[in-house]
Amino acid sequence: MARNKYPEETVARILDVSLKLFLEKGYENTTIQDIIDALGNLSKGAIYHHFKSKEDILEAVCDQRLFAGVEALMNEVVTDKRLNGREKLTRMFTASLQNTEQGKFFSAAPDMTHTPRLMMLQLDSQIREVGPNYLEPVLREGNADGSLHVEHVREASDLLLLITNQYLNPLLYPMTPEEARGAL
């Protein structure tokens, strides 16, 4: 059996084609066979060599394609010396609500109420990465500069993530962007 000398390129092609199909057909209506057909020269085994399931492909598409720029944006906000903690927190939530890539995802994503694994993966990622790396430092900074008064920083961070990623998630609670901004 021939060995793939460029697995990163293969993964990139799978993700690019999958994103295109998810956006065109929706996640629910895209099959692994659709992805194979669109790739043209990869077998089902090649797909499964890199990904365990269609859900794993979706998770990688989100991490590596749709939300790749979010981390840089959040780092920029967290390190902005011109803003106090409260202003940083507001900027983070505003940027998240205005993320056009997120809108693309929501138009193609599966019904999260029927895909609890994806919902839990999203929430777990938020609590493990976003909370400690972005929200908690901003909440602590807000406490230090007097713009916020948060007694239990880690718990407040977790609750903010729960609220914003569940209640403000249009896949779970459909609302317009204006309604979402008003809910904050």
Side-chain angles (χ1 to χ4, degrees), residues 156-171:
S157 172
D158 288 352
L159 285 172
L160 283 169
L161 289 168
L162 272 172
I163 291 167
T164 57
N165 285 287
Q166 304 310 309
Y167 177 66
L168 294 177
N169 184 334
L171 297 174

Side-chain angles (χ1 to χ4, degrees), residues 31-141:
T31 65
I32 291 289
Q33 190 60 51
D34 292 331
I35 296 168
I36 293 166
D37 292 345
L39 287 163
N41 64 346
L42 284 182
S43 66
K44 189 177 280 192
I47 300 285
Y48 285 116
H49 174 75
H50 296 286
F51 300 98
K52 293 178 192 159
S53 65
K54 187 171 80 165
E55 287 179 358
D56 285 346
I57 294 172
L58 178 64
E59 184 179 349
V61 163
C62 291
D63 290 345
Q64 298 176 34
R65 295 297 185 271
L66 291 179
F67 302 116
V70 173
E71 186 176 332
L73 177 63
M74 292 301 153
N75 279 325
E76 184 180 309
V77 171
V78 169
T79 59
D80 189 338
K81 301 290 184 207
R82 299 168 297 170
L83 302 174
N84 65 32
R86 182 183 181 100
E87 292 166 334
K88 288 180 181 184
L89 193 60
T90 300
R91 178 98 27 105
M92 291 168 79
F93 286 115
T94 301
S96 182
L97 287 172
Q98 293 173 343
N99 182 350
T100 57
E101 296 301 312
Q102 201 171 25
K104 287 181 193 176
F105 170 70
F106 289 142
S107 70
D111 180 349
M112 294 284 235
T113 60
H114 300 298
T115 318
R117 180 176 175 264
L118 286 178
M119 188 166 43
M120 289 311 299
L121 283 171
Q122 177 198 20
L123 184 58
D124 179 61
S125 167
Q126 294 292 310
I127 289 175
R128 264 187 309 97
E129 297 169 22
V130 175
N133 296 326
Y134 305 108
L135 278 179
E136 289 179 32
V138 166
L139 293 174
R140 282 190 182 85
E141 184 176 337

Side-chain angles (χ1 to χ4, degrees), residues 4-21:
N4 181 355
K5 292 182 185 178
Y6 307 102
E8 309 83 28
E9 289 179 18
T10 301
V11 168
R13 285 186 55 228
I14 293 168
L15 295 180
D16 290 341
V17 165
S18 298
L19 174 59
K20 181 177 183 282
L21 289 170

Side-chain angles (χ1 to χ4, degrees), residues 137-154:
V138 166
L139 293 174
R140 282 190 182 85
E141 184 176 337
N143 281 344
D145 68 29
S147 64
L148 296 170
H149 305 284
V150 180
E151 188 172 337
H152 302 284
V153 170
R154 189 187 60 74

